[in-house]
Amino acid sequence: MVSFSLRSLILSATLAALATFTTAQTTLAPVPTPHPVQLDACATLSSKSSTSLTVEDVANCYKAVPFDSTVAASTLESVLTIFKDYYSFRDSALTPTFEKPFDAPPSDIVRRLETIGRTKYTSDYSFHSDVRAAVDSLFDAHSSYIAKCYNAYLFAQTITLYAPVTDGKQSVRVFHDFLDRGYQDCTVEKIEGQDALPYIYNWATKTTSFSKDGGVRLTEALGTQQYNVERNGTYTIYAGAFAQRATLPEKNYVDYELRCNSSATTIQLREDWRVLSQVNAAFNDVQSFKENLCLRDMPSAIENSPAQIQKRDSKKPKPERPLYLVPAPKKALLLDDILNAPPTQSTFGEFEDALKLGAGNGTAFYQLKSRPEVGVMVVFTHLVRLGDEVAQILTGLDTFNQLNVTNVILDFQGNFGGSVEFASVLTQLLFPGTDILDKTLPSDLRVTKEMQQAASALMNNTDADLFNAGSFIDLKTNSAFTSDSLFQHPITRVRNGRSSLYTELMTIKPLEFFPKLTEAVANHPWSDKPANIRILTDGRCGSACAMSCHVLTTQYNVTSYAIGGITAEPLSMFSFVGGAVATLTEINRLYELAGMESPVKQLPYNGGVNFPVVEVYARGSEVPLDFEPQYHRATHRLDYTTQNARKRDVMWSQVANDAWKH
């Protein structure tokens, strides 16, 4: 844009030239047209309206930030220290091969990060993208690296896809068309000129890091239903990682070839990416982009507005012990929010074959109309306040009992985890007749010299559960540790040819289960009866939810069903177990509590590192549960169909009819 003073100068020069021409009648050379001032890539991005943003605009800005060797060195030092000294699965991740349903390759995270340190970069974005990709190569959803300035924009397609089975052949179809063009359930024959199913499967298995099971990664990439507390407990559309992402797409659009209603002709559809800013921070050039978005605390326009914070805090109070919580997954902005479409376009109404009986902040209860002896407890998150949710579950189970329900389906689909304590309590409410420690799993932690020093200072400090031995149960005595011996006498574990120090096996201290609660559930017709309980998941049951699944299936012999993945291929019922996940910020807080300087520096960029610090084991095993595929495999698997993909009650009936035949 030409400045006002420059325009005035040009105008004055032109008038002077005209006056000379008029007076002297001489021919003058034309006044040169000034070149427009060239905006840099981030200035161009900031100057555009929200409706005109393209992937190319964002990519040009991201890639225009020059490489900063000081930022890179500091970042790499912190991330490398975390994954070299604190990441619980550093050596297990080297496992060369797995049985099905796992298909993840081995990952030497330390070597990958060291290689990045030896690589010459010219682009800041490329460096941080490589660090993120290195962490993603672990296929562990507990592990992540984010530089928020390179997640500043969200990219969304106006159609979402799913993979139903038709006549025994699996195909990709349109799950939902947010523009109501009539594409719903059209078969997607091609994506980017390639056969749709191989294309989306390859994209999912190479791009998403949600699970070591490629079938689960496929499900995570595609559209599914999601129970939504904030939309009055309705089921809304989870767009999936392919249709909604914060990482840069390859280009401004995706080309699809659709076949609708078995038509002889196909529809060529070019879908532009919709681009939405996720931050409030302002910038007007490359330098201010780096200063305001990368180097400064960056408020989120979506999640951290005062209204959103107040709304979220009022509905989801913090659990009592936050250490053993998986950080809540970043809230996916619904596509109808992006398109300003009415919410009814993406919500599913009351079910024809299921009556909703009640709901809390983590559970919802239904009764099948066609099979009134079957109740469904949807456990859509473990991220709850225990007292409130236990009261809701007791009410729901008591209602089942009053309505003569004898069989219960536990629906864990899309449950990304939360409180380990809730996992234990949930199991106790269904199997109350056994000892409380039966609901927990053997665990251990990586140990460093600095951690040992901190543990001595933090013994019995209730604000420092992770480095406080009193937070854990000694499996030899079945009681809490009374000294920091857990940290001071580590053992050496050799995995895949590499050795590390770990604590002895222990377990996370369980919450006391009051006798009155046991009495309240003891006489239910399904209590302590695995034949009367079934699990339903889509494999996206993670962390604390995974622990619930594992304990219920291995210790209590509950049968499981998993839906999605690839036809006839085994499918995991849960993913990324872990035992506790920490952040770099949390580690630094603990060292500060101990009065020590942290061995891990804070990141120079606004963002963070997540990683599991506690690993859990199946009883009697010496291999971390995250790396034992036989414990992940569901007993039965189901395919998505045009009937059950949008009607959860149809899915529930499928399970009920298979499990409890009339």
Side-chain angles (χ1 to χ4, degrees):
M1 179 180 291
V2 180
S3 68
F4 178 79
S5 59
L6 183 57
R7 288 200 306 269
S8 300
L9 181 61
I10 294 169
L11 180 60
S12 299
T14 304
L15 291 174
L18 286 173
T20 303
F21 177 78
T22 303
T23 304
Q25 296 296 314
T26 58
T27 302
L28 299 176
V31 177
T33 303
H35 294 291
V37 176
Q38 295 296 317
L39 300 178
D40 72 20
C42 293
T44 300
L45 176 62
S46 68
S47 68
K48 285 202 167 187
S49 67
S50 59
T51 56
S52 63
L53 292 175
T54 67
V55 171
E56 186 177 14
D57 294 329
V58 179
N60 288 341
C61 175
Y62 285 179
K63 295 174 183 178
V65 180
F67 178 68
D68 187 324
S69 60
T70 302
V71 167
S74 179
T75 299
L76 202 57
E77 180 184 357
S78 295
V79 177
L80 185 56
T81 301
I82 284 293
F83 284 97
K84 186 176 182 180
D85 296 338
Y86 294 87
Y87 176 54
S88 56
F89 302 133
R90 186 198 73 176
D91 305 330
S92 296
L94 295 170
T95 303
T97 57
F98 290 112
E99 298 176 357
K100 288 289 186 179
F102 287 5
D103 61 1
S107 177
D108 190 336
I109 182 62
V110 173
R111 178 172 293 182
R112 287 193 64 152
L113 292 171
E114 289 175 342
T115 299
I116 290 172
R118 294 189 296 269
T119 302
K120 292 183 179 181
Y121 289 93
T122 58
S123 164
D124 187 67
Y125 169 76
S126 296
F127 166 78
H128 291 281
S129 294
D130 282 357
V131 175
R132 176 186 55 79
V135 177
D136 286 350
S137 74
L138 296 166
F139 293 99
D140 177 2
H142 274 158
S143 302
S144 64
Y145 168 75
I146 294 176
K148 284 189 177 179
C149 54
Y150 297 126
N151 276 10
Y153 289 83
L154 187 72
F155 307 95
Q157 292 274 284
T158 55
I159 61 172
T160 61
L161 312 177
Y162 74 123
V165 175
T166 305
D167 297 329
K169 179 182 178 181
Q170 192 168 37
S171 61
V172 179
R173 293 199 182 193
V174 176
F175 188 55
H176 192 80
D177 172 14
F178 282 87
L179 299 184
D180 288 333
R181 293 162 291 186
Y183 296 149
Q184 184 164 300
D185 276 330
C186 291
T187 299
V188 184
E189 298 206 341
K190 303 281 186 181
I191 302 176
E192 294 297 310
Q194 302 177 40
D195 289 345
L197 186 56
Y199 178 92
I200 198 69
Y201 182 79
N202 289 334
W203 184 91
T205 54
K206 293 178 181 178
T207 307
T208 64
S209 58
F210 191 86
S211 171
K212 293 177 178 61
D213 181 342
V216 176
R217 299 201 296 278
L218 175 65
T219 299
E220 172 64 8
L222 299 175
T224 55
Q225 291 184 50
Q226 175 176 271
Y227 188 91
N228 195 319
V229 174
E230 295 183 356
R231 291 207 171 169
N232 300 317
T234 56
Y235 284 85
T236 55
I237 289 175
Y238 179 82
F242 182 77
Q244 182 175 312
R245 56 182 91 165
T247 54
L248 277 174
E250 296 76 15
K251 54 185 180 179
N252 288 329
Y253 56 84
V254 177
D255 282 332
Y256 301 94
E257 183 177 325
L258 309 180
R259 189 180 301 276
C260 301
N261 301 318
S262 300
S263 171
T265 59
T266 59
I267 298 170
Q268 305 301 316
L269 177 65
R270 174 162 288 184
E271 280 290 283
D272 290 334
W273 287 99
R274 303 297 178 100
V275 184
L276 180 76
S277 173
Q278 298 197 87
V279 296
N280 286 326
F283 62 92
N284 53 26
D285 55 17
V286 169
Q287 185 61 29
S288 59
F289 176 89
K290 179 178 177 180
E291 290 178 353
N292 296 348
L293 273 68
C294 296
L295 294 172
R296 298 179 185 173
D297 191 25
M298 187 174 67
S300 167
I302 297 172
E303 301 210 14
N304 291 331
S305 67
Q308 284 294 330
I309 292 173
Q310 182 178 9
K311 181 179 181 182
R312 187 165 64 246
D313 288 350
S314 64
K315 290 193 173 186
K316 295 182 179 179
K318 294 180 180 179
E320 288 84 347
R321 291 177 64 190
L323 172 64
Y324 299 115
L325 292 177
V326 179
K330 184 172 180 62
K331 177 185 173 185
L333 189 68
L334 297 175
L335 285 178
D336 52 34
D337 291 327
I338 297 172
L339 301 173
N340 295 318
T344 52
Q345 282 191 302
S346 66
T347 58
F348 301 85
E350 292 297 320
F351 296 122
E352 293 181 9
D353 191 32
L355 176 66
K356 188 173 185 179
L357 305 176
N361 288 321
T363 54
F365 293 81
Y366 299 83
Q367 182 183 29
L368 292 182
K369 297 177 183 178
S370 61
R371 300 285 302 269
E373 78 282 8
V374 177
V376 180
M377 179 165 65
V378 178
V379 186
F380 51 87
T381 182
H382 277 48
L383 192 62
V384 295
R385 182 179 290 277
L386 284 175
D388 295 343
E389 204 60 34
V390 167
Q392 176 60 52
I393 293 174
L394 288 173
T395 299
L397 294 178
D398 188 56
T399 302
F400 279 171
N401 195 34
Q402 293 176 22
L403 294 174
N404 297 316
V405 167
T406 57
N407 301 315
V408 176
I409 297 172
L410 301 174
D411 188 339
F412 288 135
Q413 294 180 75
N415 182 327
F416 300 142
S419 167
V420 171
E421 290 177 334
F422 179 67
S424 176
V425 170
L426 177 64
T427 308
Q428 293 175 58
L429 291 170
L430 297 168
F431 291 90
T434 49
D435 186 82
I436 187 172
L437 288 178
D438 290 342
K439 316 304 190 294
T440 64
L441 295 173
S443 309
D444 62 18
L445 301 92
R446 289 279 301 278
V447 177
T448 66
K449 291 181 179 179
E450 293 86 357
M451 187 186 296
Q452 289 176 317
Q453 295 172 7
S456 294
L458 296 173
M459 182 66 200
N460 293 325
N461 186 327
T462 56
D463 291 328
D465 284 352
L466 181 60
F467 290 177
N468 169 20
S471 301
F472 303 101
I473 295 291
D474 186 340
L475 293 180
K476 295 187 295 292
T477 64
N478 283 351
S479 59
F481 284 91
T482 55
S483 73
D484 63 344
S485 61
L486 176 68
F487 294 94
Q488 304 310 325
H489 303 292
I491 61 176
T492 300
R493 294 190 183 277
V494 180
R495 291 169 175 161
N496 295 304
R498 202 153 60 184
S499 62
S500 298
L501 292 178
Y502 287 81
T503 66
E504 62 182 284
L505 289 182
M506 47 72 180
T507 193
I508 296 170
K509 189 176 181 179
L511 197 68
E512 182 181 356
F513 198 65
F514 298 105
K516 286 186 178 180
L517 293 181
T518 302
E519 295 170 5
V521 298
N523 294 323
H524 291 158
W526 55 83
S527 288
D528 288 321
K529 296 182 178 63
N532 295 63
I533 301 173
R534 293 293 185 272
I535 288 172
L536 172 62
T537 91
D538 55 8
R540 298 181 307 134
C541 167
S543 193
C545 176
M547 295 180 73
S548 290
C549 251
H550 174 74
V551 171
L552 287 168
T553 54
T554 59
Q555 292 178 223
Y556 300 108
N557 298 316
V558 175
T559 299
S560 61
Y561 291 76
I563 188 166
I566 296 292
T567 301
E569 291 286 333
L571 189 64
S572 296
M573 57 182 162
F574 56 81
S575 301
F576 64 100
V577 189
V581 62
T583 65
L584 187 155
T585 300
E586 171 66 9
I587 293 295
N588 286 341
R589 184 188 72 84
L590 293 173
Y591 280 113
E592 184 179 354
L593 277 177
M596 297 171 56
E597 181 180 353
S598 173
V600 193
K601 296 179 181 179
Q602 273 294 3
L603 295 172
Y605 271 11
N606 184 29
V609 182
N610 288 355
F611 53 96
V613 287
V614 175
E615 57 186 4
V616 299
Y617 299 81
R619 291 182 180 275
S621 175
E622 295 185 357
V623 177
L625 182 54
D626 279 77
F627 294 85
E628 291 204 285
Q630 68 270 27
Y631 289 114
H632 291 242
R633 193 180 301 116
T635 315
H636 305 284
R637 65 170 303 282
L638 303 172
D639 291 315
Y640 286 116
T641 68
T642 54
Q643 289 75 40
N644 67 21
R646 299 183 193 85
K647 296 180 179 179
R648 194 69 71 91
D649 55 333
V650 173
M651 201 182 298
W652 296 333
S653 294
Q654 282 183 270
V655 174
N657 292 336
D658 185 79
W660 303 293
K661 297 178 174 61
H662 285 294

